[in-house]
């Protein structure tokens, strides 16, 4: 089974691609920046492809069995921009149909369920929900993964120099998961996927903790330098929304994460794909 990956060079894409390669799958990385991908994945087949160009995708997906999509909407994107999970996904589905791809794997989100709760309405979550609908209606068997918070965000999107930034306080306890544990589950999902069957998995880590507990534990175990947790009131970010797409994104995603009533739903996923084992301390010490 040959797997093509779009989004392999990003924060979450790299560990997932590495786990698929480690599991023994022939992997093709589809990217615009071929040289960067070759440096990251010297053992993989690297092919140029652009989500804006259907023909390039058809060529890149030639002889591919499964295409895995690690797409996202950047914090700096505006609603009127080209979005990989919208127009790009439509192009990808068209190309996958033309190339005879047998399965689509897609990284979605559990927090997008907050759309419509407490009058919450965000165009980003509208796109993510629509992306799931498009994949389900594409006529190609699919494996869709709905993850909780990734530990990588503590050292990525929430990291600013020596600080881990949090907005507001919340009693909600997400089930943080390390991306390489998730990558192992993705590899297992593709190994056991029945021909023509559709699969959906809730992805959650080994324990639930509040965002502040997660940040404090991460900071306490991080060994490269001294880090501190900084909490800013949510209203300050809300004030910046009219002036900055990044502030608007930050306020909305924080509002969702702080209020979505996440509960444990990964029992079946663990039974089929294995239980994640990496703790926040182990993740921090591994960096």
């Amino acid at each position: 089974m040959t797997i093509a990956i779009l989004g392999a060079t990003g924060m979450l894409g790299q560990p997932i691609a590495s786990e698929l390669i480690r599991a023994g799958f022939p992997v093709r990385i589809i990217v615009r920046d071929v040289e960067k991908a070759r440096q990251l994945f010297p053992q993989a087949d690297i092919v140029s492809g652009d989500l804006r160009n259907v023909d390039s995708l058809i060529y890149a997906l030639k002889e591919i069995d499964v295409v895995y999509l690690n797409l996202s909407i950047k914090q700096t994107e505006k609603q009127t921009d080209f979005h990989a999970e919208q127009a790009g996904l439509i192009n990808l589905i068209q190309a996958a149909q033309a190339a005879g791809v047998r399965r689509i794997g897609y990284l979605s989100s559990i927090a997008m369920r907050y759309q419509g709760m407490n009058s919450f309405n965000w165009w980003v979550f509208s796109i993510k929900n629509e992306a799931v609908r498009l994949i389900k209606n594409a006529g190609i068997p699919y494996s869709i993964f709905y993850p909780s918070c990734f530990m990588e965000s503590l050292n990525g999107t929430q990291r600013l120099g020596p600080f881990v930034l949090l907005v507001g306080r919340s009693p909600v306890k997400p089930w943080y998961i390390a991306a390489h544990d998730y990558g192992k589950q993705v590899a297992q999902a593709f190994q056991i996927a029945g021909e023509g069957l559709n699969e959906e998995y809730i992805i959650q880590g080994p324990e639930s903790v509040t965002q502040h507990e997660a940040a404090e534990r991460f900071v306490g175990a991080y060994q490269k330098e001294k880090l501190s947790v900084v909490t800013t009131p949510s209203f300050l970010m809300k004030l910046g929304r009219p002036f900055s797409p990044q502030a608007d994104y930050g306020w909305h995603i924080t509002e969702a994460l702080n209020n979505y009533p996440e509960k444990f739903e990964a029992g079946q996923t663990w039974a089929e794909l294995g239980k994640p084992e990496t703790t926040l301390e182990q993740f921090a010490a591994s960096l």
Side-chain angles (χ1 to χ4, degrees):
M1 182 187 295
T2 302
I3 299 177
I5 306 175
L6 281 92
T9 60
M11 179 182 74
L12 300 178
Q14 290 185 45
I16 293 163
S18 296
E19 290 298 337
L20 289 173
I21 292 170
R22 189 174 292 114
F25 289 106
V27 170
R28 177 179 297 169
I29 308 295
I30 301 176
V31 288
R32 287 182 295 174
D33 189 340
V34 172
E35 290 307 315
K36 176 183 178 181
R38 281 178 178 157
Q39 293 176 9
L40 292 172
F41 304 104
Q43 67 276 58
D45 178 22
I46 311 296
V47 175
S48 176
D50 189 340
L51 284 168
R52 297 173 184 263
N53 187 312
V54 174
D55 289 339
S56 76
L57 294 174
I58 293 174
Y59 174 80
L61 293 173
K62 184 179 179 182
E63 298 179 351
I64 290 295
D65 299 300
V66 178
V67 57
Y68 174 80
L69 308 177
N70 198 90
L71 309 178
S72 64
I73 296 175
K74 297 181 177 61
Q75 296 184 12
T76 53
E77 289 182 33
K78 299 177 182 178
Q79 187 171 359
T80 54
D81 291 343
F82 174 91
H83 304 298
E85 285 186 280
Q86 188 178 54
L89 177 60
I90 291 172
N91 290 340
L92 183 283
I93 289 172
Q94 181 180 341
Q97 292 167 336
V101 170
R102 294 162 45 207
R103 179 170 296 274
I104 295 177
Y106 174 59
L107 174 64
S108 185
S109 163
I110 197 172
M112 72 176 189
R113 293 173 172 177
Y114 190 63
Q115 184 81 328
M117 294 184 181
N118 299 326
S119 300
F120 183 84
N121 183 32
W122 186 26
W123 64 267
V124 171
F125 279 2
S126 292
I127 287 176
K128 288 183 174 295
N129 279 285
E130 176 64 8
V132 170
R133 189 193 69 81
L134 287 170
I135 289 171
K136 288 184 175 182
N137 291 338
I140 300 173
Y142 55 80
S143 300
I144 301 178
F145 306 91
Y146 304 93
S148 183
C149 295
F150 281 103
M151 296 180 187
E152 280 72 10
S153 63
L154 295 166
N155 195 48
T157 55
Q158 293 177 255
R159 178 82 181 271
L160 183 62
F163 304 110
V164 176
L165 304 180
L166 296 174
V167 180
R169 284 187 174 270
S170 170
V172 173
K173 294 184 175 183
W175 295 74
Y176 279 83
I177 185 167
H180 76 90
D181 277 353
Y182 165 61
K184 292 177 182 178
Q185 292 181 323
V186 172
Q188 178 67 6
F190 290 153
Q191 287 170 341
I192 68 173
E195 186 71 29
L197 298 181
N198 297 317
E199 306 289 351
E200 296 182 82
Y201 296 102
I202 301 297
I203 304 298
Q204 293 172 309
E207 60 178 327
S208 62
V209 295
T210 68
Q211 294 175 60
H212 274 80
E213 289 171 337
E216 294 288 355
R217 286 173 57 179
F218 170 78
V219 165
Y222 191 74
Q223 299 175 359
K224 288 187 176 180
E225 62 178 304
K226 181 176 176 55
L227 300 179
S228 300
V229 177
V230 174
T231 304
T232 182
S234 60
F235 77 86
L236 290 179
M237 186 167 286
K238 189 174 183 179
L239 290 175
R241 289 175 53 200
F243 311 104
S244 166
Q246 194 164 3
D248 184 70
Y249 187 104
W251 182 84
H252 276 98
I253 192 64
T254 300
E255 185 74 5
L257 292 175
N258 283 352
N259 292 286
Y260 175 67
E262 183 175 339
K263 60 183 180 180
F264 181 70
E265 300 179 67
Q268 189 63 35
T269 300
W270 291 6
E272 295 184 15
L273 308 183
K275 179 181 177 179
E277 299 179 347
T278 303
T279 65
L280 286 155
E281 288 78 11
Q282 291 170 335
F283 168 74
S286 71
L287 298 175

